[in-house]
Amino acid sequence: MVKKYVLFFLVFYTVCCRAQTTDSLPAQKSQERIEKYDDHIKLRLGLSNSFNSFRIKDRTSHLDFTLSPNQQLRSTLTLIYKFIEIDLGYTPEFLRFNKDDAINGHTKFFNFGTRLYFGPWMQELQYAKTKGFYIDRKDVGLEENILFPHFQVQKIGGSTSYVFNRSFSFRAIFLQSEWQKKSAGSFVPSISYYFTQIKNNSPSKDQIFDIAIGPGYYYNWVIHDRFLLSAGAYSGLGFNSTKTVYNDGSPQEISEGLSFQAQFRLTAGYNSEHFFAGATTSLNSFSYSSETLIHVEDQQQFLEFYIGYRFKAPKRLNRLFGEK
């Protein structure tokens, strides 16, 4: 089965590398639809809530519950110039709205991510570590939440996407290092790959590998030049391998099967010559199909509000990167 997946991925990349975009316009028309800010420095302040949760359905006991972290609002100051992106994360005390550690437990969270653009290709990479989860009492019919202070999830991975329509700007819906001047959409196939390690205060840990491939479509709708609404979805079919490793010398347990990935993204943005702002939300979900009696959905949810300011970079800085 694994060989079939590998062959499928190779065929996908061959097709994408040789594909010619029938709906792309000449370079000059593409420039008419996209405003680029390559010679600008961008400062961006964002408030975000990003977390990884697990919905678990036990077919034997008929339990259906979600293992979630205690969500926290975080702030990030980002400096962007060309391919350089520097993030500084700090959340002031007055922004820490959740004072419910005694009820939902304390969660420690760290994440890092970046996106790289190579012509029509977009490469996304991310790393996240979350420690401290709980189960809501309503899910299991108890009087108090069940806390798992030592439950820890580490996830590393990303995705590689190909944008068929050169008149569509992916950058306009992420960090606004570009702006979509005329409405456009594009077919965007992607391949995603993630490695997840889960461990608790126990002598075992789970190591999960996911890879999925599938089609996607995104559309940027420009309203009165200044406002943008963007929506998109991706659906992938792939392979999942889950390995349970024991520290006491017990034999490893490995289960393999199909995985189904669904991703949704919605963005609203405002843009002027220097000032920009917006809000974005996304959901990335993996669902596993196997012969076990426990069904797991791995969900990554993200919500962010941001404001930003861009200004012309000094000429000396631009000359360092080969611009006149």
Side-chain angles (χ1 to χ4, degrees):
M1 179 178 288
V2 176
K3 291 183 178 180
K4 292 182 180 179
Y5 280 112
V6 173
L7 179 60
F8 183 48
F9 297 146
L10 291 175
V11 171
F12 168 78
Y13 267 108
T14 302
V15 171
C16 283
C17 290
R18 301 179 64 181
Q20 299 295 321
T21 58
T22 58
D23 59 347
S24 62
L25 300 176
Q28 60 272 21
K29 289 190 176 182
S30 178
Q31 293 176 0
E32 293 175 0
R33 291 179 176 267
I34 299 175
E35 180 73 26
K36 297 182 180 294
Y37 300 103
D38 292 340
D39 58 347
H40 284 66
I41 294 175
K42 282 79 70 174
L43 288 174
R44 184 178 184 274
L45 176 64
L47 295 176
S48 64
N49 183 12
S50 174
F51 63 97
N52 203 155
S53 62
F54 298 89
R55 184 179 180 184
I56 301 173
K57 299 179 183 179
D58 192 328
R59 301 171 188 171
T60 303
S61 61
H62 303 290
L63 286 176
D64 185 347
F65 60 89
T66 300
L67 196 61
S68 304
N70 191 359
Q71 301 176 32
Q72 298 178 5
L73 189 65
R74 291 173 296 276
S75 62
T76 304
L77 178 64
T78 305
L79 173 67
I80 310 162
Y81 177 69
K82 296 189 182 298
F83 59 87
I84 300 173
E85 178 181 328
I86 301 175
D87 298 315
L88 176 63
Y90 173 71
T91 303
E93 188 64 32
F94 70 88
L95 288 177
R96 297 179 182 178
F97 297 111
N98 57 327
K99 306 292 184 179
D100 53 2
D101 286 2
I103 301 174
N104 297 333
H106 177 67
T107 295
K108 295 181 180 179
F109 180 85
F110 172 80
N111 75 310
F112 170 79
T114 188
R115 296 181 185 89
L116 304 173
Y117 298 88
F118 307 95
W121 294 92
M122 184 185 79
Q123 177 65 54
E124 184 175 12
L125 299 170
Q126 64 172 304
Y127 169 80
K129 180 180 179 180
T130 308
K131 183 177 181 180
F133 285 72
Y134 75 98
I135 298 176
D136 192 285
R137 58 186 178 83
K138 297 178 182 179
D139 287 352
V140 289
L142 298 177
E143 294 183 357
E144 296 182 353
N145 296 340
I146 304 176
L147 306 184
F148 297 89
H150 301 290
F151 192 92
Q152 178 178 289
V153 177
Q154 293 187 79
K155 184 182 291 288
I156 185 171
S159 63
T160 304
S161 305
Y162 186 89
V163 181
F164 272 77
N165 186 0
R166 301 295 181 87
S167 297
F168 169 81
S169 174
F170 234 147
R171 301 188 189 193
I173 63 177
F174 287 111
L175 295 176
Q176 285 201 24
S177 55
E178 293 181 350
W179 181 251
Q180 189 82 51
K181 296 196 294 184
K182 293 185 179 181
S183 300
S186 180
F187 174 60
V188 186
S190 300
I191 178 172
S192 63
Y193 26 83
Y194 288 93
F195 174 79
T196 306
Q197 179 173 274
I198 302 174
K199 60 182 180 180
N200 198 6
N201 193 16
S202 64
S204 66
K205 59 184 177 182
D206 290 330
Q207 298 176 343
I208 305 170
F209 175 72
D210 289 296
I211 186 167
I213 189 172
Y217 187 83
Y218 295 83
Y219 191 84
N220 289 342
W221 182 31
V222 181
I223 307 172
H224 299 301
D225 297 332
R226 300 290 189 184
F227 297 92
L228 173 75
L229 283 179
S230 177
Y234 159 81
S235 178
L237 174 66
F239 172 75
N240 164 263
S241 176
T242 301
K243 179 170 63 175
T244 302
V245 180
Y246 295 92
N247 299 331
D248 58 5
S250 300
Q252 299 179 357
E253 298 178 6
I254 300 177
S255 63
E256 297 179 341
L258 292 176
S259 67
F260 306 91
Q261 183 185 9
Q263 187 177 86
F264 305 93
R265 179 178 292 275
L266 180 65
T267 300
Y270 169 81
N271 184 70
S272 64
E273 182 178 357
H274 297 290
F275 176 77
F276 60 93
T280 182
T281 182
S282 66
L283 171 66
N284 186 21
S285 176
F286 279 96
S287 178
Y288 308 128
S289 175
S290 64
E291 298 179 355
T292 62
L293 296 176
I294 298 179
H295 178 76
V296 179
E297 292 182 11
D298 181 352
Q299 298 180 338
Q300 296 174 276
Q301 300 179 53
F302 178 78
L303 173 65
E304 182 186 40
F305 299 91
Y306 63 87
I307 57 174
Y309 188 82
R310 65 173 74 91
F311 54 92
K312 283 275 190 179
K315 293 182 179 180
R316 289 185 178 181
L317 184 60
N318 286 330
R319 283 198 289 267
L320 288 176
F321 290 87
E323 293 190 8
K324 298 180 180 181

